[in-house]
């Protein structure tokens, strides 16, 4: 049965908050957002650039602010899953920092939605994506771009993709950030084993 990717996009009726525990020293925090944008939509290119500015590169808002400046987590990144129309933000944290991390991630999202990210962040992320496309011809990863475009039925060459990203404006990125809606917050809370517990 053929699946229309637009059928995968759903409005958020109620945020879900899920917490599980495991014997770990490091906790995992994951936030899932509906984008309301599918791979074939006109906004899809801007959405990918927005995700890179937010948390997809070493110069991203999440990496520099949540991890580097505030040291609230071991890692923090955003990943776009185009075929499902979702963005996932994941981080490795100390359990007691959960609310601080959530607050700072939401603050960085507000910055994106208000268009307050710097030109430097914007251009650095655009350059990182374009450089990745330029390297596709030299690596087996080149196949990935053609696989991804099968979602829309359009084959886009690396050169065409670069042109598309170069045409994205700051306002385009702001609009895709504003379309995000939080669907799920998942916490895998670590529970340190007590010394001698198995003795």
């Amino acid at each position: 049965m053929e699946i229309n990717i637009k059928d995968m996009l759903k409005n958020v009726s109620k945020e879900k908050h899920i917490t599980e525990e495991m014997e770990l020293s490091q906790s995992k925090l994951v936030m899932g957002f509906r984008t309301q944008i599918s791979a074939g939509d006109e906004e899809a290119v801007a959405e990918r650039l927005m995700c890179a500015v937010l948390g997809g590169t070493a110069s991203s808002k999440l990496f520099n602010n949540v991890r580097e400046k505030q040291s609230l987590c071991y890692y923090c990144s955003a990943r776009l899953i185009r075929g499902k129309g979702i963005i996932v933000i994941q981080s490795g944290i100390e359990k007691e920092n959960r609310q601080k991390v959530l607050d700072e991630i939401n603050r960085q999202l507000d910055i994106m939605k208000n268009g307050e990210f710097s030109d430097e962040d914007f251009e650095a992320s655009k350059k990182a994506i374009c450089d990745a496309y330029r390297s596709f011809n030299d690596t087996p990863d080149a196949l990935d771009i053609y696989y991804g475009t099968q979602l829309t039925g359009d084959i886009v060459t690396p050169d065409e993709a670069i042109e598309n990203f170069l045409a994205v404006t700051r306002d385009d990125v702001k609009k895709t950030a504003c379309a995000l809606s939080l669907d799920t917050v998942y916490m895998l809370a670590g529970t340190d084993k007590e010394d001698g517990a198995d003795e």
Side-chain angles (χ1 to χ4, degrees), residues 72-91:
L72 288 174
C73 58
Y74 302 101
Y75 63 87
C76 191
S77 63
R79 178 187 173 204
L80 171 63
I81 304 176
R82 290 176 291 171
K84 295 186 176 181
I86 61 175
I87 283 179
V88 174
I89 295 176
Q90 50 191 345
S91 58

Side-chain angles (χ1 to χ4, degrees), residues 9-184:
L9 304 178
K10 299 178 181 178
N11 292 319
V12 178
S13 57
K14 183 180 180 181
E15 291 180 13
K16 296 178 285 295
H17 293 260
I18 303 167
T19 299
E20 296 180 328
E21 291 187 343
M22 184 176 287
E23 201 171 85
L24 299 168
S25 58
Q26 181 185 128
S27 297
K28 314 294 182 184
L29 180 65
V30 181
M31 302 172 73
F33 296 83
R34 296 287 176 183
T35 68
Q36 306 306 316
I37 300 170
S38 71
D41 290 343
E42 184 179 342
E43 302 89 350
V45 175
E47 175 192 47
R48 185 171 174 190
L49 182 54
M50 181 274 295
C51 187
V53 176
L54 175 63
T57 70
S59 63
S60 69
K61 305 297 291 180
L62 295 180
F63 182 86
N64 280 326
N65 292 281
V66 186
R67 183 186 185 276
E68 294 294 294
K69 290 182 180 179
Q70 300 199 35
S71 300
L72 288 174
C73 58
Y74 302 101
Y75 63 87
C76 191
S77 63
R79 178 187 173 204
L80 171 63
I81 304 176
R82 290 176 291 171
K84 295 186 176 181
I86 61 175
I87 283 179
V88 174
I89 295 176
Q90 50 191 345
S91 58
I93 68 172
E94 296 291 341
K95 182 169 56 178
E96 60 268 22
N97 286 336
R98 179 183 185 276
Q99 193 57 50
K100 290 181 180 179
V101 173
L102 286 173
D103 289 344
E104 184 57 28
I105 289 174
N106 283 322
R107 191 175 79 84
Q108 296 304 319
L109 278 168
D110 286 341
I111 288 173
M112 297 297 299
K113 292 177 179 180
N114 293 330
E116 296 172 352
F117 50 91
S118 70
D119 288 336
E120 183 179 4
D121 292 340
F122 177 67
E123 294 299 335
S125 295
K126 185 180 286 191
K127 183 179 185 299
I129 291 176
C130 291
D131 285 348
Y133 274 98
R134 291 186 182 101
S135 70
F136 277 0
N137 290 330
D138 303 323
T139 70
D141 289 341
L143 295 175
D144 183 58
I145 183 175
Y146 297 110
Y147 171 76
T149 54
Q150 293 303 309
L151 293 171
T152 63
D154 297 323
I155 301 298
V156 179
T157 68
D159 287 342
E160 290 170 336
I162 289 170
E163 289 182 9
N164 292 338
F165 280 106
L166 291 176
V168 175
T169 67
R170 289 174 54 91
D171 193 52
D172 294 333
V173 167
K174 175 183 174 180
K175 287 178 180 176
T176 60
C178 290
L180 293 179
S181 54
L182 181 60
D183 183 283
T184 303

